[in-house]
Amino acid sequence: MDLGVDTIWLSPVYKSPMVDFGYDVSDYKDIDPVFGNMADFEELLTEAKAKDLNLLMDFVPNHSSNQHLWFLKSVERIHPYSDYYIWRDPKIENGQRKPPNNWLSGFRGSAWEWNEKRQQYYYHMFAVQQPDLNYRNPAVVEEMKNVLRFWLDKGVHGFRMDAIPFLFESTSLADEPKADYWKWFEPTDHDYLNHTLTENQPETYSMLYEFRDVLDSYRNRDGRTRFMMTECYTDLNKMMPYYGNGSRNGAHFPLNFRLVDRLNRESTAADFVKTILEWEATKPADKWSNWFIGNHDQKRAASRFDAPLIDGLTMLIHLLPGTPITYYGDELGMEDSFVRWDQTVDPAALNVGRKRYKTVSRDFEREPFQWDASSYAGFTSANHTWLPVNSNYWKVNLAAQKLNLRSHYNTFRAMAKLRRKLTVLTGSLKVKALSTWQFCVLRSLEGQPTFILVINLGSDIEMTNLSTVQPNLPDTLYVYAASENSLQEPGSPVQTSKFLLRPKQALTLSTIEVY
Ligand code: GLC
């Protein structure tokens, strides 16, 4: 509330053995005791509504836990569960039992696991304990639509749809070809293959449109939108049909991973400009954008980029057109916690082994939230946390940042406020490189103030001149928000044609003195 956000996306809280921390669901219609019970959930929803906050659930349709009753019965071939999962006979080579083909799991190694009892392999895109559901079985489709209905009936506002590209696999059991860059990977790495048969199949898009119809049937009853965003790390051309296909609606937006997977601390101003404009140019004109710099699967933004750049990145996602999304703690500039091998719990990291786990591990960014300087950062009164608290909690924490007007937290709040201005909601966009390391984002709307973000990505202090970016800019601009490392104070004037930016400094400027 205080932060200025209006929607919360909860990562999965369903009943789960927690092999993949909730993404292995053993009961889609119950809450795991780790989080409380259904009454606690309902109270959360009621409280959220009282505060005008929307609540989105994480919907995990691709796979269940191998502890789900459906799977246990499927193993036994009990009707109607026998075909709820993707079961295939082995390939026999020289009298030896082999997986049906070369398909690989996203968590490394073959995507096929032998089941002794059923005497067949089952397909799992993720961990062995996460068998993929069979969407070619209409009963499964109906079960999963009923899961959506269950939570919509409770009053949730929508869903983040997990791992959508993997819903369907081709019925052909052919091998997948090697990826263009296969040499960079080990043969057991998911990226070693080009996933022509296991990702973004035509049926997957249609299924998503069907899920959207379920959500819309609720809107048709009471006029309130039920929201859907999809997770897909995919090329732009395969991404855009997740919005819909012209005649049918898909997600309100597919999550836009471009600031996460295309940019890093070596990126130039031109890289940022290209990354932003490519998305805007490819997105269907009548659809809504979204921007973010992190999530629970990626190293934290303050660690992927130089930590002081966090304010600039916060400004960027709020000033670009569309919805900004923030992974908890990024508003404080929380950095990755180093998680030793003996502390590692992420199945993806455990699967690749000690030598390579650091690049893959998602434990680093899943540290407890840093509330204050008390023990365990105020996260718990217990004497242990599931992952180590970042040792910088004594200085990087919410309580400290609330007291400091120039903190990351207060910059975030200022930007969340700015995002509600007409110019930012509906104005035009210009993104331009000013030098190798400086770029600006300009938002303008007839009759409204113009806002300009300028960021110095470089390692040197640089002079900036914005006078040529757009005709008729006034000679003086006012600092609306300034990164913590700024030379200028919020509220102060700068000369449009001449002002200095420190390395990693960012300013959001306005044509009027808003302060
Ligand atoms: C998504 C989730 C990730 C999870 C995976 C399998 O990518 O974001 O955390 O491990 O799906 O469900």
Side-chain angles (χ1 to χ4, degrees), residues 17 19-20 23-24 63-68 71 75 85 87 104-115 121-132 347-348 351:
V19 168
D20 192 19
Y23 286 99
D24 48 322
H63 45 268
S64 73
S65 156
N66 63 349
Q67 297 307 307
H68 198 295
F71 188 74
V75 168
Y85 294 86
W87 294 102
L104 290 168
S105 153
F107 287 172
R108 194 172 188 233
S110 173
W112 296 100
E113 181 73 6
W114 177 250
N115 185 273
Y121 280 97
Y122 66 84
Y123 178 77
H124 60 93
M125 169 57 204
F126 295 95
V128 166
Q129 298 89 340
Q130 293 169 295
D132 275 44
N351 277 359

Side-chain angles (χ1 to χ4, degrees), residues 9 11-12 19-24 58-63 107 125-127 130 160-164 166 231-233 255 257 295-298 346-348 362 366:
W9 148 26
S11 44
V19 168
D20 192 19
F21 304 105
Y23 286 99
D24 48 322
D58 209 317
F59 181 58
V60 191
N62 179 63
H63 45 268
F107 287 172
M125 169 57 204
F126 295 95
Q130 293 169 295
R160 175 258 189 190
M161 316 289 275
D162 180 71
I164 285 299
F166 311 108
E231 183 204 30
C232 30
Y233 291 83
L255 288 161
F257 286 95
N295 69 18
H296 62 292
D297 293 329
Q298 305 291 335
D346 177 10
R362 300 168 301 174
R366 294 178 178 182

